[in-house]
């Protein structure tokens, strides 16, 4: 019997320590939603949709190769592990089309990079207009933990035109932004429940 089809999971990210503008000026980012779903064959799709004043942000362009780690600029991120394991994987997705993935043995204890030898292994598409920036990444099974149930943390680093950074996540469990903190990985996805 085929696995039942389930709707994708869509959640909103929120900035760390959000402070409304005293002048009443609207923030550069009004909403940041992420949709996660399992595809046939074990791939996990992540769709990030940022709405706001995109012109007030620094968004990496595809023509410029990254000179710094992706997470030092506007970048969308996922942290994925088995439900009870200490091992986890970090994925960074740049609107410029680059990605990076690493395995960690314990909290912030880096193990090794994943998939560096084959950049085409993880396809990324992105688009932008005046008020919207979107990015879709499809993480193949060979880059994911082998567990059928995944614990997922979703996050983003947003760079403003002045170079300042904002840190967005579903949940901020610590006193400072810390996407590696497992208490922030609030989603559970069963890869056997496929969305098409």
């Amino acid at each position: 019997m085929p696995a039942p089809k389930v709707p994708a999971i869509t959640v909103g990210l929120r900035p760390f320590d959000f402070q409304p503008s005293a002048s009443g000026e609207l923030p550069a980012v009004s909403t940041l939603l992420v949709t996660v779903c399992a595809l046939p064959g074990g791939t996990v799709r992540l769709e990030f949709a940022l709405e706001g004043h995109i012109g007030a942000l620094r968004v990496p362009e595809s023509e410029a190769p990254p000179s710094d780690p992706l997470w030092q600029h506007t970048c969308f991120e996922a942290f994925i592990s088995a439900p009870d394991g200490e091992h986890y994987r970090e994925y960074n997705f740049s609107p410029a089309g680059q990605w990076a993935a690493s395995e960690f043995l314990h909290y912030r204890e880096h193990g090794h990079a994943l998939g560096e030898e084959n950049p085409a292994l993880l396809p990324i598409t992105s688009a932008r207009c005046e008020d919207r920036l979107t990015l879709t990444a499809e993480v193949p099974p060979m880059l994911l933990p082998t567990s059928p149930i995944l614990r997922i943390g979703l996050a983003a680093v947003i760079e403003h035109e002045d170079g300042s950074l904002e840190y967005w996540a579903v949940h901020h469990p610590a006193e400072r932004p810390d996407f590696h903190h497992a208490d922030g990985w609030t989603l559970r996805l069963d890869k056997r429940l496929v969305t098409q």
Side-chain angles (χ1 to χ4, degrees), residues 6 13 28 34 42 45 51 54 64 79 114 129 146 158 162 167 169:
V6 296
L13 275 57
V34 190
R45 177 187 289 152
E51 294 185 354
I54 306 304
F79 292 77
L114 301 167
C129 61
T146 56
I158 307 299
D162 64 3
Y167 301 93

Side-chain angles (χ1 to χ4, degrees), residues 74-117:
T74 297
C75 176
F76 301 106
E77 304 190 13
F79 292 77
I80 303 180
S81 73
D84 301 315
E86 290 191 28
H87 285 72
Y88 64 95
R89 296 179 180 197
E90 175 187 4
Y91 308 85
N92 303 140
F93 312 114
S94 170
Q98 294 95 7
W99 61 272
S102 296
E103 182 168 34
F104 287 78
L105 306 177
H106 304 282
Y107 173 74
R108 292 189 176 273
E109 183 183 331
H110 190 267
H112 62 277
L114 301 167
E116 284 185 325
E117 68 286 348

Side-chain angles (χ1 to χ4, degrees), residues 42-44 80 89 91 139-147 150 191:
T43 294
V44 170
I80 303 180
R89 296 179 180 197
Y91 308 85
V139 184
M142 65 277 298
L143 293 180
L144 292 165
T146 56
S147 169
L150 300 177
K191 292 187 291 183

Side-chain angles (χ1 to χ4, degrees), residues 8-173:
I9 302 167
T10 300
V11 294
L13 275 57
R14 63 183 186 86
F16 180 83
D17 195 25
F18 173 71
Q19 300 293 329
S21 168
S23 66
E25 183 179 335
L26 293 175
V29 178
S30 57
T31 61
L32 180 45
L33 301 177
V34 190
T35 300
V36 183
C37 64
L39 301 179
T43 294
V44 170
R45 177 187 289 152
L46 302 132
E47 299 174 348
F48 295 82
L50 182 156
E51 294 185 354
H53 180 39
I54 306 304
L57 306 177
R58 287 186 183 172
V59 179
E61 301 286 348
S62 58
E63 297 81 28
S67 58
D68 300 314
L70 300 181
W71 49 266
Q72 291 187 359
H73 303 284
T74 297
C75 176
F76 301 106
E77 304 190 13
F79 292 77
I80 303 180
S81 73
D84 301 315
E86 290 191 28
H87 285 72
Y88 64 95
R89 296 179 180 197
E90 175 187 4
Y91 308 85
N92 303 140
F93 312 114
S94 170
Q98 294 95 7
W99 61 272
S102 296
E103 182 168 34
F104 287 78
L105 306 177
H106 304 282
Y107 173 74
R108 292 189 176 273
E109 183 183 331
H110 190 267
H112 62 277
L114 301 167
E116 284 185 325
E117 68 286 348
N118 186 1
L121 189 61
L122 199 161
I124 292 176
T125 57
S126 67
R128 65 183 283 185
C129 61
E130 185 178 313
D131 60 358
R132 187 172 172 86
L133 171 66
T134 61
L135 180 144
T136 300
E138 295 191 355
V139 184
M142 65 277 298
L143 293 180
L144 292 165
T146 56
S147 169
I149 310 292
L150 300 177
R151 179 174 57 164
I152 301 176
L154 299 168
V157 176
I158 307 299
E159 184 177 17
H160 292 261
E161 269 299 330
D162 64 3
S164 63
L165 300 176
E166 266 188 354
Y167 301 93
W168 290 64
V170 175
H171 175 59
H172 296 280

